[in-house]
Amino acid sequence: MKCPNCGEEMKEGHLICEACGNEIQIVPDFEPEIENSITETLSTLVVLEDDEQTDEDQQQDIIDLENADDVAEKASQSRRIKVLIGIFIVFLAAVFSYAIYSYHIGTVDYQIDKAKEYAAQGQYEQAIACLDIAYGKDDSLCQILFLKADYYYLLFDNESALRTLKQILDKGIYSYEEIEEAYDKMIAIYKKEERYEEINELLLACNEPTIVNMFQSYMAKEPEFSYVEGSYAEVIPLKLSSNTAGTIYYTTDGSIPDESSQIYTAPLFLENGEYTISAVFINDYGIKSEVVSKTYFISLEVPNAPEVDLYSGEYSEPMMISVTGQSDCQIYYTTDESEPTKDSVPYTGPIPMPLGTTHFKFVNISEEGVSSDVTLRTYTLALHGTITTSEAVDRLVSRLVESGYLENADGRVAGQSGVYSYQFSSVLSVEGEVYFTIYEYYDDGTGILSRTDKVFLVQAYTGDAARLGYDENRAFMAIPI
């Protein structure tokens, strides 16, 4: 073979050119099969040379060959070790990189971010799949469930959205703000579908009063009673109330109330007897509450009927009607044939008998609101030879103008914008004489009459005008005008 460096012919088996001294490399990098073949060939050559050559030069060549073989072997081993180390390092780097990548794609944050990417592209099913993986790794993150519910909602799968939001309520580990948001989203879905009964059921099961108050307009709680059921020794003004806008229907005989029952508008006054009050509330969304019933036993002492000292009959002289009641009662009366109640005229002292025929009804009402039986009286007062009541009013006005109390018969008074007017009231006996009592009223220009504290008298037979006064014994007296 020729030396690749100088081109001189080399002796067979020599690895060093005798002309230029260049070492010949016969083993290539990273080719162990070729290296093994050369090594075997060189070993064979060494054996052959050992048999044929006997002189010192040949022995030296063999030594040189062996030395070259050792050098080549060592170089080859060094290269193999370097290659193996490089391969091992590359392998370790690949394994490490794969491990980091695998860890990264397996994190909750990665799956949430990936879900958002899918959602931004409208691929909500893939987004939900990523969220399921994230939730499997960390079920304490409320954000995952909210995103999942939103994506179901965007897929028009409201039932799945509601189930997902319900998980937040049932989990029991999330903050008040997160719970409130879950209720808000669920109610928004129910409202959109007009599923108001389910809103009511949802809120009735809620243990957060603040949240319930926020959405109470959707609820229909049982009506509340102002008195607990039981026995009472007084009249009960029973009030029924609801939690929000709507209508309360009720019955008083224990029957089940419905939309055709009585509508509650004012307190129910329960007097003597037994009452079973049943009520139901229906809110503005048509949601109906449960029916609630309560029973009351009212046992009261009924007052005696008032005693009237003047019997019914016809009278030709004015009389005073006096009534006696009970110390713990108030007397009320009417003259229009209606039944007397607490809203009627209270009796405060003797009543002048009116002209003509008048029907009186008197009743005692106790502090507990219990009414006695009604006492009836009918009086007819007929006076003969008197002026008429309208003439009495005219006589009074003329006298008030003459005295300077009024500017004119229209009731004008100097320095005032309003006017005075006068109306007949009753017949009164004063100091043995018969008088018509006339009340004074003032109109300030609004058309509303307000009664003044002045009471005037006109003598029923002569027409003389006077003002009603009292003596030192608080007896009536006529003070001339």
Side-chain angles (χ1 to χ4, degrees), residues 60-101:
Q60 185 63 43
D61 289 341
I62 292 172
I63 291 173
D64 290 342
L65 183 60
E66 288 176 351
N67 289 338
D69 190 40
D70 289 341
V71 171
E73 178 67 22
K74 289 179 182 180
S76 175
Q77 288 179 353
S78 176
R79 284 190 296 272
R80 285 200 304 272
I81 290 172
K82 289 179 181 179
V83 170
L84 290 175
I85 291 174
I87 293 172
F88 181 71
I89 290 173
V90 171
F91 175 75
L92 285 180
V95 170
F96 183 71
S97 298
Y98 180 76
I100 293 176
Y101 173 74

Side-chain angles (χ1 to χ4, degrees), residues 49 79 105 124 131 220 252 278 310 315 355 379 425 448 471 475:
E49 285 293 327
R79 284 190 296 272
I105 65 173
Y124 300 116
L131 293 175
T252 58
S278 301
L310 197 63
Y315 294 84
L355 277 176
Y379 303 106
S425 174
I448 299 175
D471 61 17

Side-chain angles (χ1 to χ4, degrees), residues 301-321:
E301 181 180 349
V302 179
N304 295 325
E307 296 181 2
V308 183
D309 64 349
L310 197 63
Y311 292 106
S312 298
E314 295 181 0
Y315 294 84
S316 60
E317 294 182 7
M319 303 293 289
M320 299 297 293
I321 305 168

Side-chain angles (χ1 to χ4, degrees), residues 18 25 60 66 97 122 238 251 263 282-283 298 374 393 396 402 408 446-447 458 464 477:
E18 293 180 349
Q25 180 174 328
Q60 185 63 43
E66 288 176 351
S97 298
L238 181 63
T251 61
I263 297 176
I282 302 177
N283 71 9
I298 312 299
V374 175
V393 172
L396 172 64
E402 291 174 2
N408 52 45
T446 62
V458 174
D464 294 335
M477 61 180 296

Side-chain angles (χ1 to χ4, degrees), residues 11 30 56 90 205 309:
K11 293 180 179 180
F30 307 108
E56 292 181 357
V90 171
D309 64 349

Side-chain angles (χ1 to χ4, degrees), residues 426-440:
S426 62
V427 180
L428 187 65
S429 178
V430 180
E431 299 174 332
E433 296 191 30
V434 179
Y435 286 91
F436 293 134
T437 58
I438 299 175
Y439 291 151
E440 180 183 66

Side-chain angles (χ1 to χ4, degrees), residues 61-245:
D61 289 341
I62 292 172
I63 291 173
D64 290 342
L65 183 60
E66 288 176 351
N67 289 338
D69 190 40
D70 289 341
V71 171
E73 178 67 22
K74 289 179 182 180
S76 175
Q77 288 179 353
S78 176
R79 284 190 296 272
R80 285 200 304 272
I81 290 172
K82 289 179 181 179
V83 170
L84 290 175
I85 291 174
I87 293 172
F88 181 71
I89 290 173
V90 171
F91 175 75
L92 285 180
V95 170
F96 183 71
S97 298
Y98 180 76
I100 293 176
Y101 173 74
S102 298
Y103 173 78
H104 175 63
I105 65 173
T107 62
V108 172
D109 289 341
Y110 176 84
Q111 294 297 334
I112 292 175
D113 291 341
K114 197 67 178 176
K116 291 179 179 179
E117 290 179 11
Y118 280 127
Q121 300 169 7
Q123 302 178 37
Y124 300 116
E125 293 90 347
Q126 293 88 332
I128 291 170
C130 291
L131 293 175
D132 286 336
I133 296 173
Y135 191 72
K137 295 178 177 297
D138 187 352
D139 62 359
S140 66
L141 283 180
C142 198
Q143 177 196 11
I144 298 173
L145 296 177
F146 277 128
L147 287 173
K148 188 176 175 182
D150 290 344
Y151 298 156
Y152 275 128
Y153 182 78
L154 293 171
L155 286 170
F156 303 101
D157 187 355
N158 288 343
E159 292 304 319
S160 295
L162 290 168
R163 282 196 300 271
T164 304
L165 293 168
K166 188 70 165 52
Q167 284 183 265
I168 298 174
L169 305 184
D170 296 339
K171 194 72 173 177
I173 63 172
Y174 300 120
S175 68
Y176 170 84
E177 290 74 16
E178 291 167 330
I179 295 295
E180 179 184 322
E181 184 178 353
Y183 273 104
D184 188 51
K185 287 178 178 291
M186 291 183 72
I187 290 173
I189 293 174
Y190 283 134
K191 181 181 178 182
K192 182 179 180 181
E193 298 183 351
E194 297 185 353
R195 296 160 64 177
Y196 299 114
E197 287 287 353
E198 290 172 81
I199 297 178
N200 183 52
E201 294 173 4
L202 177 68
L203 293 174
L204 287 175
C206 179
N207 296 321
E208 291 288 349
T210 306
I211 293 176
V212 172
N213 289 335
M214 289 174 58
F215 302 103
Q216 66 173 337
S217 61
Y218 298 104
M219 297 184 67
K221 290 184 178 180
E222 295 177 353
E224 294 185 0
F225 287 51
S226 60
Y227 286 83
V228 296
E229 60 183 347
S231 299
Y232 292 86
E234 60 182 344
V235 172
I236 294 179
L238 181 63
K239 297 179 181 178
L240 307 179
S241 59
S242 59
N243 65 295
T244 186

